[in-house]
């Protein structure tokens, strides 16, 4: 499971997903590929002539492919760098985070820190 949030003047992201994936075999065993699916909202503001707050993105179901490289890989903790795409399945509805005028996707680069009970 993964939960994400990001807020800036131009972008709002809230998501909760379940992720499945695989660890590549040696010698690439520190590289993981996966896909997440869940719910969330992605709202990216842009600046055309618009009455109000026009945004692209979506809300509801979303899909999220990811590639991650682990720098530290221990039974109870891992630290890695990842690149993840967030792709809303449908255009946003309602006006709570702005008026959605089209679809939009986001690509994120991040440092991932994970804790667990071991393998």
């Amino acid at each position: 499971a993964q939960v994400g949030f990001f807020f800036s003047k131009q972008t709002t992201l809230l998501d909760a997903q379940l992720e499945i994936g695989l660890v590549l075999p040696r010698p690439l065993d520190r590289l993981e590929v996966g896909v997440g699916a869940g719910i969330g909202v992605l709202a990216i503001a842009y600046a055309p002539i618009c009455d109000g707050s026009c945004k692209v993105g979506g809300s509801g179901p979303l899909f999220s492919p990811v590639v991650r490289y682990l720098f530290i890989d221990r039974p109870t903790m891992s630290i890695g760098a990842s690149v993840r795409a967030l792709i809303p399945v449908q255009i946003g509805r309602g006006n709570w985070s702005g008026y959605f005028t089209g679809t939009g996707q986001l690509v994120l680069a991040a440092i991932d820190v994970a804790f667990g009970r071991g393998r």
Side-chain angles (χ1 to χ4, degrees), residues 64-109:
S64 180
V66 63
V67 175
R68 182 179 298 110
Y69 181 82
L70 298 178
F71 301 112
I72 297 173
D73 186 16
R74 298 198 173 116
T76 58
M77 181 190 86
S78 67
I79 298 175
S82 67
V83 176
R84 175 183 299 274
L86 287 159
I87 305 165
V89 175
Q90 61 191 20
I91 294 175
R93 295 183 183 153
N95 201 26
W96 70 271
S97 65
Y99 178 72
F100 286 92
T101 60
T103 62
Q105 297 82 34
L106 183 67
V107 176
L108 299 170

